[in-house]
Amino acid sequence: MSAKCISNNIRVLRFNHGEMTQQQLAEEVRVTRQTIVAIEKNKYSPSLELAFRIAHVFNKPLEEVFIYNPENEKDKKC
């Protein structure tokens, strides 16, 4: 499954979370800033553990941070 099946709201959540930088989020969840950049651009799907860590930072349920797009799967876009 490619990243196109999963999108996210991380950029908006960072903005609404005191304009948190990608670097700050990366440090909170113990990954590189480049990993956060790739996730935000939907070029990389995080592991389940990392997805939960990101959701925990924003105090949001997983489904408010990440969105599964089954339509893309039907169209074989992912």
Side-chain angles (χ1 to χ4, degrees):
M1 180 183 301
S2 78
K4 292 180 182 178
C5 288
I6 300 174
S7 60
N8 67 79
N9 296 315
I10 294 174
R11 188 172 180 174
V12 172
L13 290 167
R14 281 192 306 104
F15 182 80
N16 293 336
H17 200 79
E19 297 188 22
M20 174 184 270
T21 66
Q22 292 171 331
Q23 183 64 45
Q24 289 170 324
L25 177 58
E27 290 172 5
E28 287 270 343
V29 298
R30 301 183 310 272
V31 297
T32 65
R33 187 185 68 81
Q34 289 77 16
T35 298
I36 299 299
V37 170
I39 293 170
E40 281 190 7
K41 291 182 176 178
N42 297 316
K43 294 183 182 275
Y44 173 73
S45 293
S47 68
L48 187 57
E49 180 181 349
L50 178 55
F52 272 106
R53 288 199 316 251
I54 291 170
H56 181 75
V57 167
F58 297 119
N59 197 27
K60 298 284 185 188
L62 197 58
E63 62 270 18
E64 286 188 31
V65 180
F66 295 95
I67 301 100
Y68 175 58
N69 303 305
E71 300 81 30
N72 290 347
E73 206 165 36
K74 291 177 189 169
D75 297 337
K76 301 185 186 239
K77 293 180 181 175
C78 53

